[in-house]
Amino acid sequence: MPNDGKYDHQPPVYVLHRFAGGELVTKRQIRDHFGSCRLVPCCTICNMGLGAYHGSDDNDRRREILNWFLPDDKFPEDQTILTIGYKLIEKRLQVGPEKNIYVFPGVGRAIYIQSLSGFIEGKFTSPADFPEWLKLTQSELAMWLREEPRRKSQYFLDMANLQSYDLLPHARSDPRGQFE
């Protein structure tokens, strides 16, 4: 998705603070441990999906975001929601423009799954490589998300089937258990 001029830190600032442990560290120590630090274009939804996750490379971070949107076996209806999302996209491509399909989170999930898995599998090196249907629906979804304030963050929560984005107390010091 377009990053709307937003960037994320890689590695996340939170991870750097954990690494420093309240001590002064040099750029060399950081570079030796994490590699080069950089700002990465990142849309709101991907930023929320990553949170303080570090990951070993770009594809590792893409997999982390992708896992938020893949069907969850604990919820049998989850696959049905995703199937309906794909069917709504198929109908939109046959019938013509219909922005209301993007209200349904299964549509956004289908778009993100196809985009992220395509990058991970090496099918795409940039959005210019997307098939036409994905370029069109991704573009329309991006426009729809921009139409209202805070729509992006709420859409992430809806797509990821999260009732609350509040961190549990133990997660504040070790989000997703990545520091064990």
Side-chain angles (χ1 to χ4, degrees):
M1 298 301 281
N3 69 350
D4 293 331
K6 295 182 173 125
Y7 289 87
D8 198 11
H9 296 86
Q10 181 50 35
V13 172
Y14 177 84
V15 172
L16 293 174
H17 283 287
R18 289 271 310 193
F19 174 71
E23 303 293 322
L24 291 176
V25 294
T26 65
K27 288 181 185 178
R28 173 172 279 197
Q29 288 173 301
I30 292 171
R31 200 172 26 255
D32 288 348
H33 189 80
F34 295 104
S36 64
C37 294
R38 57 194 174 124
L39 289 176
V40 181
C42 193
C43 73
T44 301
I45 289 172
C46 289
N47 199 331
M48 290 181 74
L50 286 172
Y53 181 77
H54 175 244
S56 59
D57 61 21
D58 289 343
N59 277 336
D60 193 29
R61 290 183 289 281
R62 288 178 180 128
R63 276 188 284 281
E64 177 68 13
I65 300 165
L66 179 63
N67 285 333
W68 286 101
F69 304 132
L70 291 173
D72 188 336
D73 295 336
K74 292 182 276 189
F75 303 102
E77 67 278 1
D78 211 25
Q79 182 60 53
T80 303
I81 290 168
L82 194 54
T83 300
I84 292 169
Y86 279 107
K87 289 190 181 295
L88 286 169
I89 290 172
E90 186 178 314
K91 182 180 174 194
R92 184 267 170 257
L93 295 171
Q94 292 170 353
V95 176
E98 179 55 56
K99 287 173 96 173
N100 288 339
I101 69 168
Y102 300 105
V103 171
F104 185 65
V107 172
R109 285 176 64 186
I111 292 167
Y112 272 86
I113 288 170
Q114 292 302 309
S115 301
L116 291 166
S117 62
F119 278 115
I120 292 166
E121 295 165 8
K123 294 178 186 174
F124 316 135
T125 57
S126 78
D129 298 337
F130 289 175
E132 290 305 315
W133 75 267
L134 189 53
K135 286 180 189 176
L136 175 68
T137 56
Q138 182 272 335
S139 173
E140 288 179 349
L141 175 60
M143 287 189 319
W144 180 79
L145 288 169
R146 285 189 199 112
E147 288 177 355
E148 281 187 32
R150 301 201 182 279
R151 182 178 271 176
K152 294 174 194 171
S153 55
Q154 185 58 52
Y155 202 63
F156 167 73
L157 299 176
D158 294 343
M159 285 192 300
N161 198 22
L162 296 173
Q163 299 303 314
S164 170
Y165 198 58
D166 293 331
L167 289 174
L168 299 172
H170 73 278
R172 293 182 201 283
S173 60
D174 189 12
R176 298 189 184 112
Q178 64 182 339
F179 297 117
E180 291 178 2

